[in-house]
Amino acid sequence: MTAKTEDISFGYLLNDVTLLFRKHFDRRAVKFGLTRAQWRATKMLYHREGLRQTELAESLEMEPIAVGRVIDRLQAAGFVERRADPKDRRAWRLHTTEQARGVVSDMEVIARELRRDATRGIGHDELQRALAVINRIKDNLLALEQKDGDAL
């Protein structure tokens, strides 16, 4: 049963789509032993080798403590290694291992195929318009954050 457009809450719909996207990604990626958070961290490190944990957390828009747990699991599974920072002996730099580099292309195929399946029947122009609207909504919400921060 499909709800009428005026009965749909934008926030709930966006949340439902996000949850479904995550669920289907996790189902497809389970064979690699990586969660979505672990995959995001691995992909970021693959493209930006040598980040510090705090830099990775900022790039992923996650709390440093949560990223630390993700990195601990990735290191235990053999996907990431911590190396001492040559410029700061208190800090560690994060690097992907050969094992991680071996699954990156397969994980990207999973993500690409899921995007294709999720957008089936939606034309390129229609999708571009939808993405533009969602980006404008994101910009509006980010502006609210700035405004709220200025008010403090």
Side-chain angles (χ1 to χ4, degrees):
M1 180 175 190
T2 304
K4 292 185 283 184
T5 303
E6 63 269 11
D7 293 339
I8 297 174
S9 164
F10 174 78
Y12 286 121
L13 179 60
L14 193 57
N15 187 58
D16 288 348
V17 169
T18 301
L19 290 173
L20 286 166
F21 212 96
R22 289 175 176 174
K23 179 175 82 171
H24 288 287
F25 183 88
D26 286 346
R27 282 183 180 164
R28 295 175 187 205
V30 72
K31 62 185 169 189
F32 297 106
L34 291 170
T35 66
R36 192 178 40 270
Q38 291 168 340
W39 161 238
R40 287 182 65 220
T42 301
K43 183 177 178 182
M44 179 70 66
L45 291 173
Y46 176 79
H47 291 290
R48 297 179 61 198
E49 289 281 342
L51 287 177
R52 288 184 177 183
Q53 190 169 306
T54 54
E55 295 168 330
L56 179 62
E58 187 176 302
S59 296
L60 295 174
E61 298 178 355
M62 291 176 66
E63 292 297 321
I65 212 96
V67 169
R69 288 191 296 268
V70 169
I71 296 304
D72 288 344
R73 288 187 201 108
L74 285 169
Q75 187 174 19
F79 288 100
V80 169
E81 61 185 21
R82 289 176 167 105
R83 297 182 195 159
D85 186 332
K87 296 178 183 173
D88 183 351
R89 60 190 170 116
R90 300 166 298 162
W92 297 94
R93 295 285 178 173
L94 303 170
H95 297 268
T96 55
T97 63
E98 192 60 39
Q99 178 180 338
R101 291 186 290 276
V103 301
V104 166
S105 62
D106 291 331
M107 294 293 284
E108 287 177 341
V109 167
I110 288 171
R112 193 169 39 256
E113 288 175 350
L114 180 55
R115 283 191 302 270
R116 183 198 64 221
D117 291 345
T119 58
R120 184 169 282 127
I122 300 170
H124 178 75
D125 291 343
E126 186 180 9
L127 182 59
Q128 293 306 307
R129 283 192 306 275
L131 292 173
V133 169
I134 292 170
N135 272 311
R136 286 186 11 225
I137 292 168
K138 179 182 176 183
D139 290 343
N140 290 342
L141 292 170
L142 288 171
L144 286 177
E145 275 186 21
Q146 180 66 38
K147 184 179 173 184
D148 290 346
D150 291 345
L152 294 178

